[in-house]
């Protein structure tokens, strides 16, 4: 099983099980991770599942492209080099132990 480490806006953290093929957003929502709003339910029409991924994820997946890249410009918290929309990052086995940081706000 793959486990992800979510760092929450208050500084606390939560380890959650993650199923390969599901998105970071789906994983956060199904495990009750606070701070992920997901207003558009993963249809790439908002930026309310904005997260900061760790270097391991970023280096293997690369950065956001196309519509995701554009949508990140509308995130409530300014985007950073490791910003991604959780709905666009699919869980893979190699992500086990990765750290995902939730921004202070999504709206």
């Amino acid at each position: 099983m793959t486990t992800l480490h979510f760092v929450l806006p208050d500084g606390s953290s939560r380890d959650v099980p993650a199923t390969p093929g599901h998105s970071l957003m789906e994983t956060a929502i199904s495990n009750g991770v606070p701070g992920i709003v997901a207003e558009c339910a993963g249809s790439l029409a908002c930026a309310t599942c904005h997260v900061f991924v760790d270097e391991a994820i970023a280096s293997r997946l690369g950065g956001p492209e196309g519509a995701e890249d554009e949508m990140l410009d509308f995130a409530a918290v300014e985007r950073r080099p490791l910003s991604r929309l959780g709905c666009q990052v699919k869980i893979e086995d190699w992500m086990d132990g990765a750290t995902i940081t939730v921004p202070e706000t999504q709206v």
Side-chain angles (χ1 to χ4, degrees):
M1 167 153 318
T2 301
T3 300
L4 297 177
H5 182 75
F6 282 88
V7 177
L8 307 176
D10 67 2
S12 66
S13 62
R14 182 178 297 179
D15 290 338
V16 301
T19 304
H22 290 188
S23 70
L24 288 177
M25 180 213 62
E26 291 168 322
T27 300
I29 296 297
S30 66
N31 287 284
V33 173
I36 302 294
V37 178
E39 285 182 351
C40 74
S43 64
L44 196 54
C46 72
T48 61
C49 64
H50 178 208
V51 294
F52 306 115
V53 298
D54 67 19
E55 286 284 345
I57 291 176
S59 65
R60 285 197 65 179
L61 293 181
E65 296 179 354
E68 178 187 6
D69 187 45
E70 292 174 18
M71 193 57 63
L72 280 166
D73 289 337
F74 298 99
V77 171
E78 188 173 341
R79 70 186 295 171
R80 300 178 189 163
L82 299 176
S83 287
R84 293 298 302 264
L85 293 182
C87 67
Q88 297 302 299
V89 178
K90 297 296 182 193
I91 305 298
E92 297 186 40
D93 289 327
W94 60 263
M95 292 178 177
D96 188 43
T99 298
I100 311 300
T101 302
V102 180
E104 305 82 57
T105 186
Q106 298 285 354
V107 292

Coordinates of all heavy atoms in Angstrom, one line a residue:
M1 N 0.8 -1.2 0.0 CA 0.0 0.0 0.0 C 0.9 1.2 0.0 O 1.9 1.3 0.6 CB -0.9 0.0 1.2 CG -1.6 1.4 1.4 SD -3.1 1.5 2.2 CE -4.1 0.2 1.6
T2 N 0.4 2.2 -0.7 CA 1.1 3.5 -0.8 C 0.6 4.4 0.3 O -0.6 4.5 0.6 CB 0.9 4.2 -2.1 OG1 1.4 3.3 -3.1 CG2 1.6 5.5 -2.3
T3 N 1.5 5.1 1.0 CA 1.1 6.1 2.1 C 1.6 7.4 1.7 O 2.8 7.6 1.3 CB 1.6 5.6 3.4 OG1 1.1 4.3 3.8 CG2 1.2 6.6 4.5
L4 N 0.8 8.4 1.8 CA 1.2 9.8 1.6 C 1.2 10.6 2.9 O 0.3 10.3 3.8 CB 0.3 10.5 0.6 CG 0.2 9.9 -0.8 CD1 -0.8 10.7 -1.6 CD2 1.6 10.0 -1.4
H5 N 2.1 11.5 3.1 CA 2.2 12.3 4.3 C 1.8 13.7 3.9 O 2.4 14.4 3.2 CB 3.7 12.3 4.7 CG 4.0 13.1 5.9 ND1 3.7 12.6 7.2 CD2 4.6 14.3 6.1 CE1 4.1 13.5 8.1 NE2 4.6 14.5 7.4
F6 N 0.6 14.1 4.4 CA 0.0 15.5 4.2 C 0.4 16.4 5.4 O 0.2 16.0 6.5 CB -1.5 15.4 4.1 CG -2.0 14.9 2.8 CD1 -2.2 13.6 2.5 CD2 -2.3 15.8 1.8 CE1 -2.6 13.2 1.3 CE2 -2.7 15.4 0.5 CZ -2.9 14.1 0.3
V7 N 1.0 17.5 5.1 CA 1.3 18.5 6.0 C 0.2 19.6 5.9 O 0.0 20.1 4.9 CB 2.7 19.2 5.8 CG1 3.0 20.3 6.8 CG2 3.8 18.1 5.9
L8 N -0.5 19.8 7.0 CA -1.6 20.7 7.1 C -1.2 22.1 7.4 O -0.2 22.4 7.9 CB -2.6 20.2 8.1 CG -3.0 18.7 7.9 CD1 -3.9 18.2 9.0 CD2 -3.6 18.5 6.5
P9 N -2.1 23.1 7.0 CA -1.8 24.5 7.3 C -1.4 24.9 8.7 O -0.7 25.8 8.9 CB -3.1 25.2 6.8 CG -3.7 24.3 5.8 CD -3.4 22.9 6.4
D10 N -2.0 24.1 9.7 CA -1.6 24.4 11.1 C -0.3 23.8 11.5 O 0.0 23.9 12.7 CB -2.8 24.0 12.0 CG -3.0 22.5 12.0 OD1 -2.2 21.8 11.4 OD2 -3.9 22.1 12.7
G11 N 0.4 23.1 10.6 CA 1.7 22.5 11.0 C 1.6 21.1 11.4 O 2.6 20.4 11.4
S12 N 0.4 20.6 11.6 CA 0.2 19.2 11.9 C 0.3 18.4 10.7 O 0.4 18.9 9.6 CB -1.1 19.0 12.6 OG -2.2 19.2 11.7
S13 N 0.4 17.1 10.8 CA 0.5 16.2 9.6 C -0.4 15.0 9.8 O -0.8 14.7 10.9 CB 1.9 15.8 9.4 OG 2.4 15.0 10.5
R14 N -0.7 14.4 8.7 CA -1.5 13.2 8.6 C -1.0 12.2 7.5 O -0.8 12.7 6.4 CB -2.9 13.6 8.3 CG -3.9 12.4 8.3 CD -5.3 12.9 8.1 NE -5.7 13.8 9.2 CZ -6.9 14.3 9.3 NH1 -7.8 14.2 8.3 NH2 -7.3 15.1 10.3
D15 N -0.8 11.0 7.9 CA -0.4 10.0 7.0 C -1.7 9.3 6.5 O -2.5 8.9 7.4 CB 0.5 8.9 7.6 CG 1.9 9.5 7.8 OD1 2.3 10.5 7.2 OD2 2.7 9.0 8.6
V16 N -1.9 9.1 5.2 CA -3.1 8.5 4.7 C -2.8 7.5 3.6 O -1.8 7.6 2.9 CB -4.1 9.6 4.1 CG1 -4.5 10.6 5.1 CG2 -3.5 10.2 2.9
P17 N -3.6 6.4 3.6 CA -3.4 5.4 2.5 C -3.8 6.0 1.2 O -4.8 6.8 1.1 CB -4.3 4.3 3.0 CG -5.4 4.9 3.8 CD -4.7 6.1 4.5
A18 N -3.1 5.6 0.2 CA -3.4 6.1 -1.2 C -3.4 4.9 -2.2 O -2.5 4.1 -2.1 CB -2.3 7.1 -1.6
T19 N -4.4 5.0 -3.0 CA -4.6 3.9 -4.0 C -4.0 4.4 -5.4 O -4.4 5.4 -5.9 CB -6.0 3.6 -4.2 OG1 -6.6 3.2 -2.9 CG2 -6.2 2.4 -5.2
P20 N -3.0 3.6 -5.9 CA -2.5 4.0 -7.2 C -3.6 4.1 -8.3 O -4.6 3.3 -8.3 CB -1.6 2.8 -7.6 CG -1.1 2.4 -6.2 CD -2.3 2.5 -5.3
G21 N -3.5 5.1 -9.1 CA -4.5 5.4 -10.1 C -5.5 6.5 -9.6 O -6.1 7.2 -10.5
H22 N -5.7 6.7 -8.3 CA -6.5 7.8 -7.8 C -5.7 9.1 -7.8 O -4.4 9.0 -7.8 CB -7.0 7.5 -6.4 CG -8.0 6.4 -6.4 ND1 -8.7 6.1 -5.3 CD2 -8.5 5.5 -7.3 CE1 -9.5 5.0 -5.5 NE2 -9.4 4.7 -6.8
S23 N -6.3 10.2 -7.7 CA -5.6 11.5 -7.7 C -5.3 11.9 -6.3 O -5.8 11.3 -5.3 CB -6.4 12.6 -8.4 OG -7.5 12.9 -7.5
L24 N -4.3 12.8 -6.1 CA -4.0 13.3 -4.8 C -5.3 13.9 -4.2 O -5.6 13.8 -3.0 CB -3.0 14.4 -4.9 CG -1.5 14.0 -5.2 CD1 -0.6 15.2 -5.3 CD2 -1.0 13.1 -4.1
M25 N -6.1 14.6 -5.0 CA -7.3 15.3 -4.5 C -8.3 14.2 -4.0 O -8.8 14.3 -2.9 CB -8.0 16.1 -5.6 CG -9.3 16.7 -5.2 SD -10.5 16.9 -6.5 CE -10.9 15.2 -6.9
E26 N -8.5 13.2 -4.8 CA -9.4 12.1 -4.4 C -9.0 11.4 -3.1 O -9.8 11.2 -2.2 CB -9.5 11.0 -5.4 CG -10.3 11.4 -6.7 CD -10.1 10.5 -7.8 OE1 -9.0 9.9 -8.0 OE2 -11.1 10.3 -8.6
T27 N -7.7 11.2 -3.0 CA -7.1 10.6 -1.8 C -7.3 11.5 -0.6 O -7.7 11.1 0.5 CB -5.6 10.4 -2.0 OG1 -5.4 9.5 -3.1 CG2 -4.9 9.8 -0.8
A28 N -7.0 12.8 -0.7 CA -7.2 13.8 0.4 C -8.7 13.8 0.8 O -9.0 13.7 2.0 CB -6.8 15.2 0.0
I29 N -9.6 13.9 -0.1 CA -11.0 14.0 0.2 C -11.5 12.7 0.9 O -12.2 12.8 1.9 CB -11.9 14.3 -1.1 CG1 -11.5 15.7 -1.6 CG2 -13.4 14.2 -0.8 CD1 -11.8 16.9 -0.7
S30 N -11.2 11.6 0.3 CA -11.7 10.3 0.9 C -11.1 10.0 2.3 O -11.7 9.2 3.0 CB -11.4 9.2 -0.1 OG -10.0 8.9 -0.2
N31 N -10.0 10.7 2.6 CA -9.4 10.5 3.9 C -9.6 11.6 4.9 O -9.0 11.7 5.9 CB -7.9 10.2 3.8 CG -7.6 8.8 3.2 OD1 -7.8 7.8 3.9 ND2 -7.3 8.7 1.9
G32 N -10.5 12.6 4.5 CA -10.8 13.7 5.4 C -9.7 14.6 5.6 O -9.6 15.2 6.7
V33 N -8.8 14.8 4.7 CA -7.7 15.8 4.9 C -8.2 17.2 4.8 O -8.8 17.5 3.8 CB -6.6 15.5 3.8 CG1 -5.5 16.6 3.9 CG2 -5.9 14.2 4.0
P34 N -8.1 18.0 5.9 CA -8.7 19.3 5.8 C -7.9 20.2 4.9 O -6.7 20.0 4.7 CB -8.6 19.8 7.3 CG -7.6 18.9 7.9 CD -7.5 17.6 7.2
G35 N -8.5 21.2 4.3 CA -7.9 22.2 3.5 C -7.9 21.9 2.0 O -7.5 22.8 1.2
I36 N -8.5 20.8 1.6 CA -8.7 20.5 0.2 C -10.2 20.7 -0.1 O -11.0 19.9 0.4 CB -8.2 19.1 -0.2 CG1 -6.7 18.9 0.2 CG2 -8.5 18.8 -1.7 CD1 -5.8 19.7 -0.6
V37 N -10.5 21.7 -0.8 CA -11.9 22.0 -1.0 C -12.5 21.3 -2.2 O -13.6 20.7 -2.1 CB -12.1 23.6 -1.2 CG1 -13.6 23.9 -1.5 CG2 -11.6 24.3 0.0
A38 N -11.8 21.3 -3.3 CA -12.2 20.5 -4.5 C -13.6 20.9 -5.0 O -14.4 20.0 -5.3 CB -12.1 19.0 -4.3
E39 N -13.8 22.2 -5.2 CA -15.1 22.7 -5.6 C -15.6 22.1 -6.9 O -16.8 21.9 -7.1 CB -15.1 24.2 -5.7 CG -15.2 24.9 -4.4 CD -15.2 26.4 -4.5 OE1 -15.0 27.0 -5.6 OE2 -15.4 27.1 -3.5
C40 N -14.7 21.8 -7.9 CA -15.1 21.3 -9.2 C -15.0 19.8 -9.3 O -15.2 19.3 -10.4 CB -14.3 22.0 -10.3 SG -12.6 21.4 -10.4
A41 N -14.7 19.2 -8.2 CA -14.7 17.7 -8.1 C -13.7 17.1 -9.1 O -13.9 16.0 -9.6 CB -16.0 17.1 -8.3
G42 N -12.6 17.8 -9.4 CA -11.6 17.3 -10.3 C -11.8 17.5 -11.8 O -11.1 16.9 -12.6
S43 N -12.6 18.5 -12.1 CA -12.8 18.7 -13.6 C -11.9 19.8 -14.1 O -12.1 20.2 -15.3 CB -14.3 19.1 -13.8 OG -14.6 20.3 -13.2
L44 N -10.9 20.2 -13.4 CA -9.9 21.2 -13.8 C -10.6 22.5 -14.1 O -10.2 23.2 -15.1 CB -9.1 20.7 -15.0 CG -7.8 21.4 -15.4 CD1 -6.9 21.5 -14.2 CD2 -7.1 20.7 -16.5
A45 N -11.6 22.9 -13.3 CA -12.3 24.2 -13.5 C -12.1 25.1 -12.3 O -12.7 26.2 -12.3 CB -13.8 23.9 -13.7
C46 N -11.2 24.8 -11.4 CA -10.9 25.7 -10.2 C -9.5 25.3 -9.8 O -8.8 24.5 -10.4 CB -11.9 25.5 -9.1 SG -11.8 23.9 -8.2
A47 N -9.1 26.0 -8.7 CA -7.8 25.7 -8.2 C -7.9 25.4 -6.7 O -7.0 25.7 -5.9 CB -6.8 26.9 -8.4
T48 N -9.0 24.8 -6.3 CA -9.2 24.6 -4.8 C -8.7 23.2 -4.3 O -9.1 22.8 -3.2 CB -10.7 24.8 -4.5 OG1 -11.5 23.8 -5.2 CG2 -11.2 26.2 -4.8
C49 N -7.9 22.6 -5.1 CA -7.2 21.4 -4.7 C -5.7 21.6 -4.8 O -4.9 20.7 -4.9 CB -7.6 20.2 -5.4 SG -7.3 20.2 -7.2
H50 N -5.3 22.9 -4.8 CA -3.9 23.3 -4.9 C -3.1 22.7 -3.8 O -3.5 22.8 -2.6 CB -3.8 24.9 -4.8 CG -2.5 25.5 -4.9 ND1 -2.2 26.7 -4.3 CD2 -1.3 25.1 -5.5 CE1 -0.9 27.0 -4.5 NE2 -0.4 26.0 -5.3
V51 N -1.9 22.1 -4.1 CA -1.0 21.5 -3.1 C 0.4 21.8 -3.6 O 0.7 22.2 -4.7 CB -1.2 20.0 -2.9 CG1 -2.6 19.7 -2.3 CG2 -1.0 19.3 -4.2
F52 N 1.3 21.7 -2.6 CA 2.8 21.7 -2.9 C 3.3 20.3 -2.7 O 3.2 19.7 -1.7 CB 3.5 22.7 -1.9 CG 2.9 24.1 -1.9 CD1 2.2 24.5 -0.7 CD2 2.9 24.9 -3.0 CE1 1.7 25.8 -0.7 CE2 2.3 26.1 -3.0 CZ 1.7 26.6 -1.8
V53 N 3.8 19.8 -3.8 CA 4.4 18.4 -3.8 C 5.8 18.5 -3.4 O 6.5 19.5 -3.5 CB 4.2 17.7 -5.1 CG1 2.7 17.6 -5.5 CG2 4.9 18.4 -6.3
D54 N 6.4 17.3 -3.0 CA 7.8 17.3 -2.6 C 8.6 17.2 -3.9 O 8.1 16.9 -5.0 CB 8.1 16.3 -1.5 CG 7.9 14.8 -2.0 OD1 7.9 14.5 -3.2 OD2 7.8 14.0 -1.1
E55 N 9.9 17.3 -3.7 CA 10.9 17.3 -4.8 C 10.8 16.0 -5.6 O 11.0 15.9 -6.8 CB 12.3 17.6 -4.3 CG 12.6 19.0 -4.0 CD 12.8 19.9 -5.2 OE1 13.0 19.4 -6.3 OE2 12.7 21.1 -5.0
A56 N 10.6 14.9 -4.8 CA 10.6 13.5 -5.5 C 9.5 13.4 -6.5 O 9.7 12.9 -7.6 CB 10.5 12.4 -4.4
I57 N 8.3 13.9 -6.1 CA 7.2 13.9 -7.1 C 7.5 14.9 -8.2 O 7.3 14.5 -9.4 CB 5.9 14.3 -6.4 CG1 5.5 13.1 -5.4 CG2 4.8 14.5 -7.4 CD1 4.3 13.4 -4.6
A58 N 7.9 16.1 -7.9 CA 8.1 17.1 -8.9 C 9.2 16.6 -10.0 O 9.0 16.8 -11.2 CB 8.5 18.4 -8.3
S59 N 10.2 16.0 -9.5 CA 11.3 15.6 -10.4 C 10.9 14.5 -11.3 O 11.3 14.4 -12.5 CB 12.6 15.3 -9.6 OG 12.4 14.1 -8.8
R60 N 10.0 13.6 -10.8 CA 9.6 12.5 -11.7 C 8.4 12.8 -12.6 O 8.4 12.3 -13.7 CB 9.2 11.3 -10.8 CG 10.5 10.6 -10.3 CD 10.4 9.3 -9.8 NE 10.0 8.2 -10.7 CZ 9.9 7.0 -10.3 NH1 10.1 6.6 -9.0 NH2 9.5 6.0 -11.1
L61 N 7.5 13.7 -12.1 CA 6.3 14.0 -12.9 C 6.6 15.3 -13.8 O 5.9 15.5 -14.8 CB 5.1 14.3 -12.0 CG 4.6 13.1 -11.3 CD1 3.4 13.5 -10.5 CD2 4.2 11.9 -12.2
G62 N 7.5 16.1 -13.4 CA 7.6 17.4 -14.0 C 6.6 18.4 -13.5 O 5.8 18.1 -12.6
G63 N 6.6 19.5 -14.1 CA 5.7 20.6 -13.6 C 4.3 20.5 -14.3 O 4.1 19.7 -15.2
P64 N 3.4 21.4 -13.9 CA 2.1 21.4 -14.5 C 2.2 22.0 -16.0 O 3.1 22.8 -16.3 CB 1.3 22.4 -13.6 CG 2.4 23.2 -13.0 CD 3.6 22.4 -12.9
E65 N 1.3 21.5 -16.8 CA 1.3 22.0 -18.2 C -0.1 22.3 -18.6 O -1.1 22.0 -17.9 CB 1.8 20.8 -19.1 CG 3.2 20.5 -18.9 CD 3.7 19.3 -19.8 OE1 2.9 18.7 -20.5 OE2 4.9 19.0 -19.7
G66 N -0.3 23.0 -19.7 CA -1.6 23.3 -20.2 C -2.6 24.0 -19.3 O -2.2 25.0 -18.6
A67 N -3.8 23.4 -19.2 CA -4.8 24.0 -18.4 C -4.5 24.0 -16.9 O -4.8 24.9 -16.2 CB -6.1 23.2 -18.6
E68 N -3.8 23.0 -16.4 CA -3.4 23.0 -15.0 C -2.5 24.2 -14.7 O -2.6 24.9 -13.7 CB -2.7 21.7 -14.7 CG -2.2 21.7 -13.2 CD -1.4 20.5 -12.8 OE1 -1.0 19.6 -13.7 OE2 -1.1 20.3 -11.6
D69 N -1.5 24.4 -15.6 CA -0.6 25.5 -15.4 C -1.3 26.8 -15.4 O -1.1 27.7 -14.5 CB 0.5 25.5 -16.6 CG 1.6 26.5 -16.4 OD1 2.1 26.6 -15.3 OD2 1.9 27.2 -17.4
E70 N -2.3 27.0 -16.3 CA -3.1 28.2 -16.3 C -3.9 28.4 -15.1 O -4.0 29.4 -14.5 CB -3.9 28.2 -17.6 CG -3.1 28.4 -18.9 CD -4.0 28.2 -20.1 OE1 -5.2 28.4 -20.0 OE2 -3.4 28.0 -21.2
M71 N -4.6 27.3 -14.7 CA -5.5 27.3 -13.5 C -4.7 27.7 -12.2 O -5.3 28.3 -11.3 CB -6.2 26.0 -13.4 CG -7.4 26.0 -12.4 SD -8.6 27.3 -12.8 CE -9.2 26.7 -14.4
L72 N -3.5 27.3 -12.1 CA -2.7 27.6 -10.9 C -2.5 29.1 -10.7 O -2.3 29.5 -9.6 CB -1.4 26.8 -10.9 CG -1.4 25.4 -10.5 CD1 -0.1 24.7 -10.9 CD2 -1.7 25.3 -9.0
D73 N -2.6 29.8 -11.8 CA -2.5 31.3 -11.7 C -3.7 31.9 -10.9 O -3.7 33.0 -10.4 CB -2.5 32.0 -13.0 CG -1.2 31.7 -13.7 OD1 -0.2 31.4 -13.1 OD2 -1.1 31.8 -15.0
F74 N -4.8 31.1 -10.7 CA -6.0 31.5 -10.0 C -6.0 31.0 -8.6 O -7.1 31.1 -7.9 CB -7.2 31.2 -10.8 CG -7.3 31.9 -12.1 CD1 -6.9 31.2 -13.2 CD2 -7.6 33.2 -12.2 CE1 -6.9 31.8 -14.5 CE2 -7.6 33.8 -13.4 CZ -7.3 33.1 -14.6
A75 N -5.0 30.3 -8.1 CA -5.0 29.7 -6.8 C -5.1 30.8 -5.7 O -4.5 31.9 -5.9 CB -3.8 28.8 -6.5
A76 N -5.7 30.6 -4.6 CA -5.9 31.6 -3.5 C -4.5 31.9 -2.9 O -4.3 33.0 -2.5 CB -6.9 31.1 -2.5
V77 N -3.7 30.9 -2.8 CA -2.3 31.1 -2.3 C -1.4 31.1 -3.5 O -1.5 30.2 -4.4 CB -1.9 30.0 -1.3 CG1 -0.5 30.1 -0.9 CG2 -2.8 30.1 -0.1
E78 N -0.5 32.1 -3.6 CA 0.4 32.2 -4.7 C 1.1 30.9 -5.0 O 1.6 30.2 -4.1 CB 1.4 33.3 -4.5 CG 2.2 33.6 -5.7 CD 3.1 34.9 -5.5 OE1 2.8 35.6 -4.6 OE2 4.1 35.0 -6.2
R79 N 1.1 30.5 -6.3 CA 1.8 29.3 -6.7 C 3.3 29.4 -6.4 O 3.9 30.5 -6.4 CB 1.5 29.0 -8.2 CG 2.2 30.0 -9.1 CD 1.8 29.8 -10.6 NE 2.2 28.6 -11.1 CZ 1.9 28.1 -12.3 NH1 1.1 28.8 -13.0 NH2 2.3 26.9 -12.7
R80 N 3.9 28.2 -6.3 CA 5.3 28.1 -6.1 C 5.9 27.1 -7.1 O 5.1 26.5 -7.8 CB 5.6 27.6 -4.6 CG 5.1 28.5 -3.6 CD 5.3 27.9 -2.2 NE 4.6 28.7 -1.2 CZ 4.4 28.2 0.0 NH1 4.8 27.0 0.4 NH2 3.8 29.0 0.9
P81 N 7.2 26.9 -7.2 CA 7.7 26.0 -8.1 C 7.2 24.6 -8.0 O 7.2 23.8 -8.9 CB 9.2 26.1 -7.9 CG 9.5 27.5 -7.4 CD 8.2 27.7 -6.5
L82 N 6.8 24.2 -6.8 CA 6.3 22.8 -6.5 C 4.8 22.7 -6.5 O 4.2 21.8 -6.0 CB 6.9 22.2 -5.2 CG 8.5 22.1 -5.3 CD1 9.0 21.6 -3.9 CD2 8.9 21.2 -6.4
S83 N 4.1 23.8 -6.9 CA 2.6 23.8 -6.9 C 2.1 22.8 -8.0 O 2.6 22.7 -9.1 CB 2.1 25.2 -7.3 OG 2.3 26.1 -6.2
R84 N 1.0 22.1 -7.6 CA 0.3 21.3 -8.5 C -1.2 21.3 -8.1 O -1.5 21.7 -6.9 CB 0.7 19.8 -8.5 CG 2.1 19.6 -9.0 CD 2.3 19.9 -10.5 NE 1.4 19.2 -11.4 CZ 1.8 18.1 -12.0 NH1 3.0 17.6 -11.9 NH2 0.9 17.5 -12.8
L85 N -2.1 21.0 -9.0 CA -3.5 20.8 -8.6 C -3.6 19.3 -8.3 O -3.2 18.4 -9.1 CB -4.4 21.2 -9.8 CG -4.5 22.6 -10.1 CD1 -5.5 22.9 -11.2 CD2 -4.8 23.5 -8.9
G86 N -4.1 19.0 -7.1 CA -4.2 17.6 -6.7 C -5.0 16.7 -7.6 O -4.7 15.5 -7.7
C87 N -6.0 17.3 -8.3 CA -6.8 16.5 -9.2 C -6.0 16.0 -10.4 O -6.5 15.1 -11.1 CB -8.0 17.3 -9.6 SG -7.7 18.8 -10.6
Q88 N -4.9 16.6 -10.7 CA -4.1 16.3 -11.9 C -2.9 15.4 -11.6 O -2.2 15.0 -12.6 CB -3.6 17.6 -12.6 CG -4.8 18.4 -13.0 CD -5.7 17.7 -14.0 OE1 -5.3 17.3 -15.1 NE2 -7.0 17.6 -13.6
V89 N -2.7 15.1 -10.4 CA -1.6 14.2 -10.0 C -2.1 12.8 -9.6 O -2.8 12.7 -8.6 CB -0.7 14.8 -8.9 CG1 0.4 13.8 -8.5 CG2 -0.2 16.1 -9.3
K90 N -1.8 11.8 -10.4 CA -2.3 10.4 -10.1 C -1.3 9.7 -9.3 O -0.1 9.8 -9.5 CB -2.5 9.7 -11.4 CG -3.6 10.2 -12.3 CD -4.9 10.2 -11.7 CE -6.0 10.7 -12.7 NZ -7.2 10.9 -12.0
I91 N -1.8 9.0 -8.3 CA -0.9 8.3 -7.4 C -0.3 7.1 -8.1 O -0.9 6.4 -8.9 CB -1.8 7.7 -6.2 CG1 -2.6 8.8 -5.5 CG2 -0.9 6.9 -5.2 CD1 -1.7 9.8 -4.8
E92 N 1.0 6.9 -7.8 CA 1.8 5.8 -8.3 C 2.5 5.1 -7.2 O 2.8 5.8 -6.2 CB 2.7 6.3 -9.4 CG 2.0 6.9 -10.6 CD 3.0 7.2 -11.8 OE1 3.9 6.4 -12.0 OE2 2.8 8.2 -12.4
D93 N 2.8 3.9 -7.3 CA 3.5 3.1 -6.2 C 4.7 3.8 -5.7 O 5.0 3.8 -4.5 CB 3.8 1.7 -6.6 CG 2.6 0.8 -6.7 OD1 1.6 1.0 -6.0 OD2 2.6 -0.1 -7.6
W94 N 5.5 4.4 -6.6 CA 6.8 5.0 -6.2 C 6.6 6.2 -5.3 O 7.6 6.7 -4.8 CB 7.6 5.3 -7.4 CG 7.0 6.3 -8.4 CD1 6.4 5.9 -9.6 CD2 7.0 7.7 -8.4 NE1 5.9 7.1 -10.2 CE2 6.3 8.2 -9.5 CE3 7.5 8.6 -7.5 CZ2 6.1 9.5 -9.8 CZ3 7.3 10.0 -7.7 CH2 6.6 10.4 -8.8
M95 N 5.4 6.7 -5.2 CA 5.1 7.9 -4.4 C 5.0 7.6 -2.9 O 4.8 8.5 -2.1 CB 3.8 8.6 -4.8 CG 3.9 9.2 -6.2 SD 2.3 10.0 -6.6 CE 2.7 10.7 -8.2
D96 N 5.2 6.3 -2.5 CA 5.1 5.9 -1.1 C 6.0 6.8 -0.2 O 7.2 6.9 -0.5 CB 5.4 4.5 -1.0 CG 5.1 3.9 0.4 OD1 4.1 4.3 1.0 OD2 6.0 3.2 1.0
G97 N 5.4 7.4 0.8 CA 6.1 8.2 1.7 C 6.3 9.7 1.3 O 6.9 10.5 2.0
A98 N 5.8 10.0 0.1 CA 5.9 11.4 -0.3 C 5.2 12.4 0.6 O 4.2 12.1 1.2 CB 5.4 11.5 -1.8
T99 N 5.7 13.6 0.6 CA 5.0 14.7 1.4 C 4.3 15.6 0.5 O 4.8 16.1 -0.5 CB 6.1 15.4 2.2 OG1 6.8 14.5 3.1 CG2 5.5 16.6 3.0
I100 N 3.0 15.9 0.9 CA 2.2 16.8 0.2 C 1.8 17.9 1.2 O 1.3 17.6 2.3 CB 0.9 16.1 -0.3 CG1 1.2 14.8 -1.0 CG2 0.0 17.1 -1.1 CD1 2.0 15.0 -2.2
T101 N 2.1 19.2 0.9 CA 1.7 20.3 1.8 C 0.5 21.0 1.3 O 0.4 21.4 0.1 CB 2.9 21.3 1.9 OG1 4.1 20.5 2.3 CG2 2.6 22.4 2.8
V102 N -0.4 21.2 2.2 CA -1.7 21.9 1.9 C -1.5 23.4 2.2 O -1.1 23.7 3.3 CB -2.8 21.3 2.7 CG1 -4.2 22.0 2.5 CG2 -3.0 19.8 2.5
P103 N -1.8 24.3 1.3 CA -1.7 25.7 1.5 C -2.7 26.2 2.6 O -3.6 25.5 3.0 CB -2.1 26.3 0.2 CG -2.2 25.3 -0.8 CD -2.3 24.0 -0.1
E104 N -2.4 27.4 3.0 CA -3.2 28.0 4.1 C -4.7 28.1 3.8 O -5.5 28.0 4.7 CB -2.7 29.4 4.5 CG -1.2 29.5 4.8 CD -0.3 29.6 3.6 OE1 -0.5 30.5 2.7 OE2 0.6 28.7 3.5
T105 N -5.0 28.4 2.6 CA -6.4 28.5 2.2 C -6.5 28.1 0.7 O -5.6 28.1 -0.1 CB -6.9 29.9 2.4 OG1 -8.3 30.0 2.1 CG2 -6.2 30.9 1.5
Q106 N -7.8 27.8 0.3 CA -8.1 27.4 -1.1 C -9.0 28.4 -1.7 O -9.2 28.4 -2.9 CB -8.7 26.0 -1.2 CG -7.8 24.9 -0.7 CD -6.7 24.6 -1.7 OE1 -6.6 25.0 -2.8 NE2 -5.8 23.7 -1.2
V107 N -9.7 29.2 -0.9 CA -10.6 30.2 -1.4 C -10.4 31.6 -0.9 O -9.7 31.8 0.0 CB -12.1 29.8 -1.0 CG1 -12.5 28.5 -1.8 CG2 -12.2 29.6 0.4

